[in-house]
Amino acid sequence: MLRLPRSMLSRFERFSLYNSPYPAHDGGCAIDLYVAADDPVARSPVAGVVRETRTVRAPDKPYAHDDEYLVLVDVDAEATGLDWLGDAVDDPRDGLVARILHVRPDVAAGDEVAVGDSLGRLVRSGFFAPWVANHVHLGFRPADANQHRARGSLPVSTDVTVSPLDWDGTGTVVETAETFVVLDAPTRADAGVGPDEFVGLGSDEGVVLDGGLAHYGFGGTLSPVADGQSLSLLGERVGRTAGRDVPWADFDVLVDGIRVTGMSLFASRTDFGTKVVCPGHDLAVGDEVSVAIRPSDDPVRLD
């Protein structure tokens, strides 16, 4: 498993290993790195030499760019700060290729890039759900692997501690869009951590949860956790760990008793607040709401 350094992650506001329905994220084999909402520039998370850029047609969505882009970089693992957590004989860092998506590149094959260099401009492609914010998708493969298929990347972990936030399900709406709202709770201050430390929503057991709960069918953990541990949130069981993966149990997310699509979970080093995915909502900034989880025979599943 590749361990991504703090020096990489601290350049981004948020990250998620599991908040995606696409197979590239299965088992935490890719990471999405989120930038500030007003920053259109895609900064390289890796150092190395650009191997290839490719343009592909994306699903047709009215809110999205017509094309998707793939940037392949032959990685300088030492300059990037990558560690390998495994048998040294099987260390793949020599000859590692980074797969970067959602960037309209202004680099070309042969260009050398350092961590933090501009790769181009972020794009919202048709592979995004309408509530998904701009981000850099990053995965890694050995150089002799097929770099163009969706599956096949190495599992990744993060060299940061993500502190769990306890939450009682209540909050005030502080941001609205057509397909989601953001609440003012929980806050990073609730974890008692310093500036720029990462936080995430904790289960009732204090395990940080990651993913689309539960509209993407499975998520994962960003805390050390025992295999087979049962996890709950807001007093209801949400799943059982399979390694660090969490196939979600069958339940609904409710806002003031009304079923919604779900919640987007991630790790953040800036202000934290629960993001509730709820297309067609009638909520407004200032509304005080209560979120609950209830078992369901027909849960929302989008994957």
Side-chain angles (χ1 to χ4, degrees):
M1 181 180 294
L2 285 168
R3 184 167 61 184
L4 310 183
R6 170 177 286 276
S7 58
M8 173 196 295
L9 302 172
S10 63
R11 294 175 180 273
F12 299 89
E13 290 197 343
R14 292 181 284 145
F15 71 80
S16 172
L17 299 177
Y18 290 93
N19 195 5
S20 171
Y22 292 105
H25 285 268
D26 287 356
C29 287
I31 189 168
D32 288 336
L33 302 164
Y34 291 82
V35 301
D38 59 353
D39 185 1
V41 178
R43 304 289 178 184
S44 180
V46 299
V49 177
V50 177
R51 167 185 282 216
E52 177 188 351
T53 64
R54 174 177 286 210
T55 302
V56 297
R57 193 69 177 175
D60 186 19
K61 301 287 179 63
Y63 54 83
H65 196 273
D66 291 339
D67 294 322
E68 179 59 278
Y69 305 92
L70 173 65
V71 180
L72 300 178
V73 179
D74 289 311
V75 177
D76 183 332
E78 183 176 357
T80 301
L82 297 176
D83 286 331
W84 175 244
L85 306 180
D87 189 337
V89 175
D90 298 322
D91 188 339
R93 286 177 294 174
D94 290 334
L96 196 66
V97 176
R99 299 179 77 253
I100 297 170
L101 295 168
H102 316 324
V103 179
R104 184 173 183 173
D106 59 15
V107 294
D111 288 348
E112 187 171 347
V113 295
V115 175
D117 283 354
S118 173
L119 294 175
R121 311 287 279 187
L122 291 163
V123 296
R124 292 179 55 77
S125 80
F127 292 106
F128 283 41
W131 51 83
V132 175
N134 283 351
H135 63 272
V136 173
H137 168 99
L138 174 65
F140 296 91
R141 293 183 187 175
D144 58 356
N146 185 329
Q147 306 297 334
H148 299 136
R149 64 191 297 267
R151 298 180 188 270
S153 293
L154 297 166
V156 296
S157 66
T158 59
D159 190 21
V160 296
T161 297
V162 184
S163 298
L165 297 175
D166 189 25
W167 186 44
D168 65 1
T170 63
T172 301
V173 176
V174 293
E175 180 185 346
T176 66
E178 290 184 1
T179 58
F180 69 88
V181 301
V182 178
L183 308 183
D184 67 347
T187 69
R188 60 180 298 104
D190 296 333
V193 297
D196 285 339
E197 296 299 313
F198 283 93
V199 296
L201 184 64
S203 71
D204 294 344
E205 298 78 17
V207 174
V208 178
L209 301 173
D210 181 21
L213 188 138
H215 47 287
Y216 288 154
F218 76 95
T221 65
L222 298 177
S223 305
V225 64
D227 186 32
Q229 180 174 342
S230 181
L231 298 175
S232 59
L233 182 66
L234 303 177
E236 293 288 347
R237 181 176 175 273
V238 294
R240 184 179 298 275
T241 59
R244 60 177 181 166
D245 300 347
V246 184
W248 300 129
D250 292 339
F251 58 86
D252 289 329
V253 177
L254 309 177
V255 175
D256 291 342
I258 298 173
R259 185 168 90 155
V260 298
T261 299
M263 294 188 290
S264 291
L265 307 181
F266 46 82
S268 175
R269 66 175 184 84
T270 59
D271 291 341
F272 194 92
T274 303
K275 184 175 183 178
V276 181
V277 180
C278 47
H281 69 87
D282 60 1
L283 296 169
V285 171
D287 287 349
E288 296 182 2
V289 301
S290 179
V291 177
I293 292 174
R294 295 290 181 268
S296 174
D297 294 329
D298 183 29
V300 175
R301 291 288 190 264
L302 301 182
D303 52 333

